[in-house]
Amino acid sequence: MKQTRIAVIGGGAIGRTHAVAIRDCPGTELAAIVDPFEAGAALAGELEALHLTELDALFDTRIDGAVIATPNALHVPQATMLIEAGIPVLVEKPLGENAAACRALVSLSEHTGVPGLVGHHRRHNPIIRAAKCAIEDGRFGALVSGTISATLHKADSYFDVAWRREKGSGGPVLINLIHEIDLVRHLFGEIGEVFAMASNDRRGFEVEDTAVILLRLSGGGMVTVALTDAGVGPWCWDTTAGENLARFPAMPAVSHMFAGTRAGMSLPDLSFWTHDGPADWTVPQVNRPLEIVPMDSYVKQIRHFAAVIAGEERPRITLADGAANIAVIEAIRTSVAQRRPVAPDLTGQDAERQTMVE
């Protein structure tokens, strides 16, 4: 069987995760690691892959696709170079630093016919797929309210990398909240309005370390998000879902709670609460957890990328989805600055979800 050769641009922590997933995914081969630093060279050596220091050198190598796992500011420029060269891309989240640049990348992909995906890997996780199924088949009902906690205390050394402290590329709103925005849009549809407050009191950087965000869904329902990279607590997807145990622990807590008109659901434990009788707060509820078969979401994501490269599937998380997520982030930033509700500007964006049957 012909192997799909995929290169990884960026040899940091998330680049390693993608490179290992390529190695572990049947039918794919790690073609190269592109990174100018020693960490990239060490990763290439460990995984017995070609090491390149410049992106241009990749064009002299036979590859079928590339994963971009570099600092946020490089995502759009590098994706542009690769798409112009006819190479399909999987771009780590966030797709870019601003919606305008992301929209330009969407247009380039549409014009050239070269596909692009965004690395919101949670959509490939069986936990999220089970939750989505419960919503789509009507068991959950319509969203009424939701509460999301993203409490992820980051060590001081994390911020030794300058861009993580700088406006435009750093801060938990762009780096971490982007996952929650994509998840809410995936499960419940478009976000029509946001209201947010943020603070940098704990770390004192240019960027925020704490934020509280209210999301009003276009189709009805509201979700609140409490976000911090300076507070201690287990209530975060990364530290409870167990999907990347090489980097994060899996603690027995929940990070997401959603109330529907027919059921209540929490993640990642997939508790699914319904009344044992009439739907009344005085009547006991029964938890019948949703069932899944555990799978590696990063390997699933690479398998899907290979299928897109082969023309067998359409992108599940499109570049347009990535651009829409950034538009919501920009609305949140505007809301923080102007202290008012803001409607995301989704003008000219087709963020249709395109889920393929496997």
Side-chain angles (χ1 to χ4, degrees):
M1 182 179 70
K2 179 181 179 293
Q3 296 285 95
T4 302
R5 291 173 52 81
I6 302 173
V8 174
I9 321 300
I14 191 62
R16 168 181 286 276
T17 299
H18 286 295
V20 170
I22 293 167
R23 180 197 65 186
D24 294 345
C25 179
T28 63
E29 176 184 350
L30 181 61
I33 301 288
V34 182
D35 191 297
F37 302 108
E38 178 57 36
L43 178 61
E46 176 186 338
L47 298 179
E48 299 181 347
L50 174 68
H51 176 240
L52 302 171
T53 59
E54 300 291 338
L55 184 58
D56 289 347
L58 193 62
F59 302 138
D60 296 324
T61 304
R62 186 183 73 77
I63 64 169
D64 300 304
V67 176
I68 298 175
T70 50
N72 299 339
L74 299 177
H75 288 182
V76 169
Q78 291 178 337
T80 299
M81 289 179 62
L82 290 161
I83 288 175
E84 288 178 340
I87 300 171
V89 294
L90 168 59
V91 186
E92 248 306 317
K93 60 80 194 169
L95 178 57
E97 293 184 302
N98 62 78
C102 293
R103 291 183 189 120
L105 187 64
V106 172
S107 296
L108 176 65
S109 176
E110 292 174 347
H111 177 72
T112 60
V114 179
L117 296 75
V118 184
H120 287 289
H121 64 276
R122 292 186 193 175
R123 293 203 198 186
H124 297 275
N125 192 304
I127 295 170
I128 301 305
R129 301 191 75 170
K132 178 72 168 175
C133 182
I135 294 166
E136 289 184 332
D137 68 16
R139 284 176 289 162
F140 177 79
L143 174 70
V144 177
S145 66
T147 301
I148 297 174
S149 176
T151 304
L152 25 88
H153 190 281
K154 297 178 181 178
D156 291 344
S157 59
Y158 175 88
F159 300 97
D160 290 344
V161 181
W163 65 265
R164 291 172 174 164
R165 308 188 302 270
E166 298 169 351
K167 286 185 176 180
S169 57
V173 166
L174 182 60
I175 295 174
N176 303 106
L177 180 63
I178 193 80
H179 272 308
E180 310 308 339
I181 297 304
D182 184 74
L183 180 61
V184 169
R185 290 184 57 250
H186 175 56
L187 293 179
F188 303 113
E190 292 300 343
I191 295 167
E193 189 177 41
V194 305
F195 183 72
M197 293 185 290
S199 168
N200 64 350
D201 288 350
R202 292 301 173 190
R203 298 194 185 277
F205 297 146
E206 292 181 9
V207 295
E208 76 287 336
D209 53 52
T210 304
V212 178
I213 304 98
L214 173 63
L215 309 173
R216 181 187 292 274
L217 279 296
S218 297
M222 294 187 288
V223 175
T224 59
V225 185
L227 169 72
T228 182
D229 64 16
V232 174
W235 311 288
C236 174
W237 172 271
D238 304 79
T239 56
T240 59
E243 68 179 0
N244 191 352
L245 293 174
R247 293 185 65 195
F248 303 111
M251 293 180 281
V254 298
S255 54
H256 298 64
M257 293 179 289
F258 299 113
T261 54
R262 293 184 177 178
M265 176 171 59
S266 61
L267 305 176
D269 66 339
L270 287 175
S271 289
F272 199 80
W273 293 88
T274 55
H275 283 93
D276 191 13
D280 184 285
W281 68 338
T282 64
V283 175
Q285 297 180 47
V286 177
N287 179 20
R288 298 179 178 87
L290 303 177
E291 296 183 356
I292 61 168
V293 176
M295 297 180 185
D296 188 312
S297 57
Y298 286 98
V299 172
K300 291 278 288 182
Q301 180 175 243
I302 292 298
R303 188 217 61 77
H304 172 61
F305 184 33
V308 170
I309 292 170
E312 298 169 354
E313 296 181 9
R314 299 170 70 183
R316 182 171 292 137
I317 306 108
T318 66
L319 295 179
D321 272 319
N325 292 337
I326 292 296
V328 175
I329 293 296
E330 288 186 342
I332 289 169
R333 287 173 166 168
T334 300
S335 178
V336 169
Q338 300 181 5
R339 300 191 176 189
R340 65 177 180 86
V342 177
D345 180 9
L346 301 178
T347 304
Q349 293 183 184
D350 176 13
E352 176 186 2
R353 257 75 73 207
Q354 300 178 9
T355 301
M356 304 300 294
V357 177
E358 298 183 8

